[in-house]
Amino acid sequence: MTSTHAFWLAGRQATGETTFDVTSPWDGRLVGTVAVPTDAQVEEAVAAAHAVVDEFAATPAHVRAAALEHVSRRLVERTEEIAQLISAENGKPVKWARGEVGRAVSVFRFAAEEARRFNGGEAQRLDTDAGGQGRLALTRRFPKGVVLGIAPFNFPLNLCAHKIAPAVAVGAPIILKPAPATPLSGLILGELLAETELPAGSWSVLPVPNDKMPALVQDERLPVISFTGSDKVGYAIMDSVPRKHCTLELGGNGAAVVLADFASEEDLDWAATRIATFSNYQGGQSCISVQRVIADASVYDRLLPRIVAAVEAQNTGDPSDPSTDVGPLVSEDAARRVESWVDEAVGAGAQLHTGGKRDGASYAPTVLTGVPAHATLACEEVFGPVLTVQSVDGEAEAFAAVNSSKYGLQAGVFTHDLQTAFRAHRALEVGGVIVGDVPSYRADQMPYGGAKQSGVGREGVKFAMDDYTYERVLVLTGLAL
């Protein structure tokens, strides 16, 4: 019998009046039952966070750093347990789930390190003009207020970590709303935070239903919103609260460019393997998974069969099996949507090279060519194990193809030429250019975010800490400088 998972209200466990079930997308089994906070409990959490703003901002850096270090250590100790939980609620193959726990370990460790060196103050002499003689400016950063963190289902632990850890590091209270499909990983973080000495009210983990979120989003006591998810929902949030500070990490349709100089047998084998792996990891449910391959015509004919073979070599099946590369999507509805987009593209003239089959919530790793530019698959984020391949003539056409998308999260460029790498960095309208690899690389300490409709602002621990704070200047007068 699965017990009900309590949520975390102002640092303590609580249960509501109703519950919902979390089931495995692989086999439908019950993974957990989760308590839903009442409206009154949500109000209590918001009020507690608002009340502790000044106290938490004044908490010594070593206290916040110690709490973050504790969570990092405990994640290490419970890695296998948490990885199995991620795999069960999300359908992610356990080998990828273990990697996600490892990344969350690093996020909290980075945040502990940054908490100790952040906000030390920057001095600026003002006697550069006569009117500033005897004056010194000291600039420090202070929290903007309570953060409302809204996390998605695809990385249910690590993307919750990216909301919580920077907030704790700067002393900003946070209310975390995990995704309804995958709340259990976020609740685990609440369990670990409860073992620390952070002030009551400085954090809550509330599995609030999506239809209850508009009131929370619009609450004036929550001046900062950090959202990761679809562009439709993200921009709707921003439009509804134009005077709030919003960080939006939204969608993409990541492109991997393979240029003419990347042409040896070893080069093409490497590119094909990386493309196949990262078009299908997490079931393709990653904002920076490879969705488009843009190959120079001189390598296209040799690259395409390699990609198809590498995609067909991906092991699909039970996500709890360590040998599984590709598990199910998060739900059968998600798989049906992917199926409909592929069917639309094939009906419009695209050629299906492998895959194209659905079994419940699972969708076979798929490769297509000749996808029309107007097809949904070409224009939107598929968020599934589907890859399109196209041929272009030269670097300029390749970069133009990348930029033709309304999204601009990250791009990968397979080249050996340093000058080409710098031209790509200048030309590509994306938040990150990964040279010699796919767009799917993310280090959790680097600035991460997109251009165009891929979002606003940057994550990455230090960069999120900047985002959650503002500069305040102190001018000292009458000094003998």
Side-chain angles (χ1 to χ4, degrees), residues 293-314:
V293 176
I294 300 165
D296 190 88
S298 64
V299 299
Y300 176 86
D301 289 338
R302 289 189 295 144
L303 179 63
L304 178 59
R306 284 176 162 86
I307 291 174
V308 172
V311 167
E312 290 177 341
Q314 298 285 303

Side-chain angles (χ1 to χ4, degrees), residues 413-434:
V413 180
F414 288 90
T415 181
H416 295 296
D417 186 86
L418 186 60
Q419 293 296 333
T420 300
F422 277 99
R423 286 195 298 271
H425 194 214
R426 179 179 293 276
L428 297 179
E429 299 167 353
V430 295
V433 178
I434 314 300

Side-chain angles (χ1 to χ4, degrees), residues 124-128 132-137 476-481:
Q124 182 180 22
R125 62 186 306 158
L126 302 177
D127 61 354
T128 51
Q133 189 169 334
R135 297 177 188 266
L136 180 75
L476 301 174
T477 305
L479 302 178
L481 297 175

Side-chain angles (χ1 to χ4, degrees), residues 46-114:
V46 173
H50 183 66
V52 82
V53 165
D54 291 341
E55 177 188 348
F56 196 30
T59 301
H62 72 87
V63 173
R64 288 179 272 116
L68 293 161
E69 287 169 343
H70 174 83
V71 175
S72 183
R73 286 194 304 270
R74 294 287 284 137
L75 287 170
V76 171
E77 294 168 0
R78 297 177 63 177
T79 291
E80 189 59 25
E81 170 202 348
I82 298 171
Q84 294 291 342
L85 179 65
I86 292 170
S87 182
E89 69 172 342
N90 172 278
K92 180 176 299 192
V94 71
K95 71 175 187 178
W96 293 113
R98 289 172 182 143
E100 180 175 348
V101 179
R103 289 180 61 187
V105 168
S106 296
V107 168
F108 280 96
R109 187 182 75 248
F110 294 147
E113 295 166 357
E114 292 293 347

Side-chain angles (χ1 to χ4, degrees), residues 310-361:
V311 167
E312 290 177 341
Q314 298 285 303
N315 291 323
T316 60
D318 186 346
S320 66
D321 185 337
S323 67
T324 296
D325 300 309
V326 187
L329 276 69
V330 72
S331 68
E332 191 165 343
D333 284 346
R336 286 197 188 98
R337 178 189 55 75
V338 172
E339 179 182 41
S340 70
W341 288 14
V342 172
D343 290 349
E344 176 199 47
V346 172
Q351 181 180 355
L352 180 67
H353 292 264
T354 191
K357 297 178 181 178
R358 182 181 64 83
D359 181 7

Side-chain angles (χ1 to χ4, degrees), residues 17-34:
E17 298 172 353
T18 60
T19 62
F20 66 94
D21 290 337
V22 178
T23 58
S24 165
W26 170 247
D27 56 15
R29 67 183 172 88
L30 180 66
V31 179
T33 299
V34 177

Side-chain angles (χ1 to χ4, degrees), residues 175-199:
I175 293 175
L176 175 72
K177 189 265 191 201
T182 56
L184 301 176
S185 301
L187 293 173
I188 285 281
L189 290 179
E191 187 177 328
L192 303 184
L193 287 167
E195 299 170 353
T196 72
E197 300 299 322
L198 294 176

